[in-house]
Amino acid sequence: MRRREVLLGGAAALAVLPGTARGTAEPSHRLVAAERRTRIIDAPSTVWSYGDTLFPIVRARVGEPFRAVLENRLAEHSSIHWHGVRVPNAMDGVPYLTQPPVEPGQRFTYEFTPSDTGTTFFHPHCDTVQQLGRGLVGVLIVEGDAVDRYDADIVAVLKDWRVAEDGAWLPFLTDEGAGKAGTFGTVRTINGARTPRLEVPAYGLIRLRVLNVDPTRVSEVGLTGAGAAVIATDGNPLGPLPLESWRLGPAMRLDLAVAAPGPGEEAVLVDYFAPEPVELARLVGVGAGARRPFEPKALAPSGVPKPDLAEAQRQRFTFSASAAPSDLVLPGGEVLRYADELCLSGRTRWAINQATWPMASHERLPPPLATFERGRSYVMELVNVTPHQHPVHIHGHTWHVLRSSKREIVPHLADTVLLAPRERLEVAFVADNPGDWMLHCHVIEHQETGMMGIVRVA
Ligand code: C2O
Ligand code: CU
Ligand code: CU
């Protein structure tokens, strides 16, 4: 066995333990957040992960209760946010806002019944720049959408690492990066490996789930050497649409139906974002198999409610640099730092509607940027007045992406949308999930330096 395979045999399924809580029969997934030694490069690194493999895959079924226990064996507090899942507010995993932080040695049980199918992921929501940077991410697949019978279901998790040549971590947050496009990793990986070869049944119909969990990098995903069609965005059904390439900002996902290459042949997952295309992974056909026509079917329709666009109220959210000072110096010289209690770095650089995620203790969360009336439809106008890209994410809801001031949009569903520099994007939704929800940029350095706020549904 090669070294990397000891821990990083690619994303692997998690053990399912019989449920004990409340004496019910449904299984509990056990997610143990802990430091583990592994190799991203030849030298060892200490990653933080939810299991013995990086990026464990947890499966749930739509409409059936799901339960996962987070056990925190890290030296700092944590929580799990179920990104892209319309969970009840108390299960949303945002420390101080929806639950107390899970302290070292503590456990927290997440229980909800997913109402939507699809490819989602989970991650902490505190000191995210470090916790996610070190590897604390898992994949949640909510099953029940497949109409076709796929010969294989492959997960490709895109994540870079801020790793030095000796395996130690480089700073996850830098002044330069936080104020611009973010700090990029030094090593790019898929499922924790550099340009892995993923075996697929030759000529089979493959479901390929691509997740960009990187805190910073935007990728433009394409596939050469095989037929491919987009079947979902952020886990929500779309198409099938022939794939040319699809831009995935941090936190965005893309499901593809792929006609696998023949025996011994390869298809290459490529990132076209950089001037020179980058090979991300190779899909290698194995086994016999006979060539067949590629006619992928649409996934089962989504249950995300349709907004009433005629009645919808419009609200503008402007994403900008912040005019606020970093720290507040009190007379006498005492320095009040921004939001230490809220897991942020000591500086603010970014704002939403002029409000930067403020200096506050956890008793003093900022007021909501907006209050949405429960059950009503809204169009959010997301306006980027900066020269940088911002993948904007809303918790607890799924947007219908309608139109852009800059590009043709195929209407689709998303929980994260990539705002290009100076772009105005319109997204609509029904505010049907009561609670206080985060709205933030998913370039984690932007989030942690102010580009975050609360929206209330009441
Ligand atoms: Cu994936 Cu609030 O984030
Ligand atoms: Cu989220
Ligand atoms: Cu941003």
Side-chain angles (χ1 to χ4, degrees), residues 41-234:
I41 54 170
D42 285 338
S45 302
T46 39
V47 297
W48 293 355
S49 62
Y50 287 117
D52 289 336
T53 59
L54 281 174
F55 316 144
I57 299 171
V58 175
R59 288 177 187 266
R61 263 203 92 75
V62 67
E64 291 179 14
F66 170 81
R67 181 186 300 133
V69 181
L70 166 65
E71 193 178 317
N72 183 7
R73 291 201 198 143
L74 299 170
E76 63 183 57
H77 66 65
S78 196
S79 68
I80 292 183
H81 168 58
W82 306 92
H83 182 119
V85 188
R86 297 189 296 143
V87 296
N89 194 252
M91 294 292 119
D92 199 43
V94 180
Y96 308 115
L97 185 66
T98 68
Q99 67 166 92
V102 184
E103 298 294 341
Q106 284 186 348
R107 291 167 194 227
F108 189 91
T109 301
Y110 294 92
E111 284 185 287
F112 51 86
T113 299
S115 55
D116 309 309
T117 52
T119 305
T120 72
F121 72 113
F122 54 95
H123 61 78
H125 221 280
C126 203
D127 189 18
T128 316
V129 83
Q130 168 164 228
Q131 295 193 4
L132 178 62
R134 284 176 171 247
L136 217 44
V137 183
V139 176
L140 172 65
I141 293 174
V142 184
E143 292 180 331
D145 56 3
V147 172
D148 268 324
R149 289 188 45 185
Y150 301 103
D151 298 302
D153 188 320
I154 309 275
V155 172
V157 178
L158 280 56
K159 189 191 176 301
D160 304 353
W161 305 87
R162 294 273 304 146
V163 65
E165 268 166 38
D166 62 356
W169 300 116
L170 298 165
F172 294 105
L173 190 144
T174 64
D175 272 353
E176 248 239 273
K180 293 185 178 156
T183 306
F184 290 84
T186 54
V187 175
R188 300 190 67 174
T189 65
I190 303 298
N191 300 341
R194 284 176 281 176
T195 329
R197 285 164 58 92
L198 308 172
E199 296 192 341
V200 293
Y203 294 130
L205 178 62
I206 311 302
R207 181 169 186 168
L208 177 60
R209 304 173 189 261
V210 184
L211 301 95
N212 181 357
V213 308
D214 195 66
T216 311
R217 188 183 296 277
V218 174
S219 288
E220 173 112 16
V221 171
L223 190 72
T224 62
V230 174
I231 54 171
T233 52
D234 289 356

Side-chain angles (χ1 to χ4, degrees), residues 359-437:
M359 169 187 61
S361 76
H362 57 263
E363 294 94 55
R364 292 180 52 232
L365 287 163
L369 296 169
T371 299
F372 299 120
E373 200 182 309
R374 188 175 177 187
R376 283 200 65 165
S377 295
Y378 291 87
V379 171
M380 292 172 73
E381 257 183 58
L382 308 175
V383 183
N384 179 4
V385 298
T386 79
H388 299 287
Q389 308 185 84
H390 301 288
V392 174
H393 171 52
I394 191 168
H395 285 209
H397 297 82
T398 302
W399 284 319
H400 294 250
V401 185
L402 303 178
R403 62 185 75 82
S404 154
S405 60
K406 284 198 118 171
R407 55 195 163 111
E408 277 303 313
I409 295 255
V410 183
H412 64 281
L413 293 165
D415 53 65
T416 308
V417 291
L418 186 63
L419 282 185
R422 311 216 154 76
E423 182 181 27
R424 192 186 73 240
L425 203 61
E426 289 182 18
V427 295
F429 75 114
V430 181
D432 62 348
N433 199 357
D436 282 355
W437 303 100

Side-chain angles (χ1 to χ4, degrees), residues 389-391 441 443 446 451:
Q389 308 185 84
H390 301 288
C441 179
V443 168
H446 294 174
M451 198 175 265

